[in-house]
Amino acid sequence: ENFDINLTINGSRIEFLANKGHILNNTIKSFKGLIEDFTETQPMLLIETTTDSPLDIMLNAVNKSPIKQAMKGTSDDMRGKGPGELNLHLNIPMKNVDNITFNGIYTFTGSSLDNPSLDLPLLSNINGTLIFDTNTVSIKNAEAILFDQPVAITLNNLNDITLIDIKGSVDTDFIKSKLGIDWGKNINGKTEWQAIYKLKDKESELSLTSDLIGISIENFQDFNKSPEQEKSFVLKKNTSAKGSNY
């Protein structure tokens, strides 16, 4: 859409370049298409493009493209907003476009993301990269804000499951702000936690764990502990179209 294309034909080689236009409402920063030899039995169109892609537009484009298959159904109800950049490489067999292959990188630059249907809470101010190809999606060491606290995020595919690993910490100030001052009087310090989401099509499983080392607990009977003591905390939750259970 609104492409400003420079076309070069040299024998059987066709190259077209653009630095202006839109693809599925994503603004093009650079675009290169190449057919090395259109006289071949199976000519191949190679495309390399970089676009300014706000996350909501990116998600809409994903759900209308072959990339959706690599998301294993988790992008259907995903909601997002904020800036981002997409670098995409496509290999398109001209005589069999159904066999398209692709790989790319999406860079989050302060975006936000959630998926209420899979019980994935709002992650804001996301900074990091999502790497994908025809079969897999991954995020390595991204940073974000969850419930006003900084967290680290990784994401990987495992067969038909998307695994999201979120690590963060909780301290007295957070407990006071979310549970009330009375809770803060009895829980002091700071401890690390880890949440693992297993996402499948229309279904999620959450496992939240902590050893509670670093915080003291008073006036909670069997839960009382000193900061040095290890006490296992585990929360599990399954969410599907039928509802949630703990």
Side-chain angles (χ1 to χ4, degrees), residues 91-237:
N91 302 296
I92 307 172
M94 298 297 291
K95 294 184 178 180
N96 189 3
V97 295
D98 289 337
N99 284 336
I100 182 175
T101 60
F102 56 84
N103 64 80
I105 296 174
Y106 182 78
T107 303
F108 299 94
T109 52
S111 318
S112 63
L113 181 72
D114 70 342
N115 190 328
S117 69
L118 293 178
D119 210 31
L120 180 66
L122 177 65
L123 295 164
S124 61
N125 198 28
I126 305 171
N127 289 279
T129 55
L130 181 147
I131 303 168
F132 61 90
D133 59 27
T134 312
N135 300 305
T136 63
V137 177
S138 66
I139 296 175
K140 305 295 184 185
N141 302 319
E143 298 177 344
I145 300 296
L146 174 64
F147 300 127
D148 299 321
Q149 300 289 307
V151 295
I153 304 169
T154 61
L155 179 150
N156 290 286
N157 285 143
L158 180 62
N159 299 321
D160 64 339
I161 296 174
T162 298
L163 294 174
I164 302 178
D165 187 335
I166 304 175
K167 295 179 180 178
S169 62
V170 59
D171 59 16
T172 306
D173 290 339
F174 176 83
I175 291 170
K176 287 179 179 179
S177 67
K178 300 301 180 183
L179 300 178
I181 295 176
D182 289 340
W183 282 76
K185 291 179 181 178
N186 297 308
I187 302 176
N188 290 281
K190 181 178 181 179
T191 192
E192 307 298 317
W193 57 264
Q194 180 180 22
I196 296 179
Y197 278 90
K198 295 182 180 180
L199 306 181
K200 293 191 287 187
D201 190 12
K202 308 301 182 183
E203 183 178 345
S204 71
E205 177 184 318
L206 165 66
S207 176
L208 174 66
T209 60
S210 174
D211 58 18
L212 299 183
I213 292 176
I215 63 172
S216 63
I217 301 176
E218 300 176 349
N219 301 318
F220 281 90
Q221 298 181 359
D222 294 341
F223 287 98
N224 290 347
K225 63 178 290 295
S226 66
E228 298 79 16
Q229 286 181 299
E230 179 177 338
K231 186 177 286 287
S232 179
F233 172 85
V234 178
L235 172 66
K236 292 184 179 292
K237 182 180 181 182

Side-chain angles (χ1 to χ4, degrees), residues 23-24 26 30-32 46-51 53 58 61 65-67 85-91 100-106 132-134:
I23 301 176
L24 295 175
N26 294 278
S30 67
F31 182 95
K32 177 181 178 180
L46 308 178
I47 293 176
E48 298 179 1
T49 184
T50 300
T51 61
S53 301
M58 169 64 176
S65 75
I67 302 172
E85 181 181 86
L86 174 65
N87 289 275
L88 181 62
H89 300 258
L90 299 167
N91 302 296
I100 182 175
T101 60
F102 56 84
N103 64 80
I105 296 174
Y106 182 78
F132 61 90
D133 59 27
T134 312

Side-chain angles (χ1 to χ4, degrees), residues 35-46:
I35 302 175
E36 192 66 51
D37 185 354
F38 68 79
T39 65
E40 290 182 331
T41 304
Q42 298 293 338
M44 184 75 70
L45 171 60
L46 308 178

Side-chain angles (χ1 to χ4, degrees), residues 3-45:
F3 270 52
D4 182 12
I5 292 179
N6 292 315
L7 178 65
T8 302
I9 300 176
N10 186 2
S12 61
R13 187 179 190 272
I14 300 176
E15 181 180 68
F16 41 99
L17 304 173
N19 294 302
K20 180 182 178 181
H22 296 83
I23 301 176
L24 295 175
N25 294 320
N26 294 278
T27 302
I28 292 173
K29 299 175 72 174
S30 67
F31 182 95
K32 177 181 178 180
L34 175 64
I35 302 175
E36 192 66 51
D37 185 354
F38 68 79
T39 65
E40 290 182 331
T41 304
Q42 298 293 338
M44 184 75 70
L45 171 60

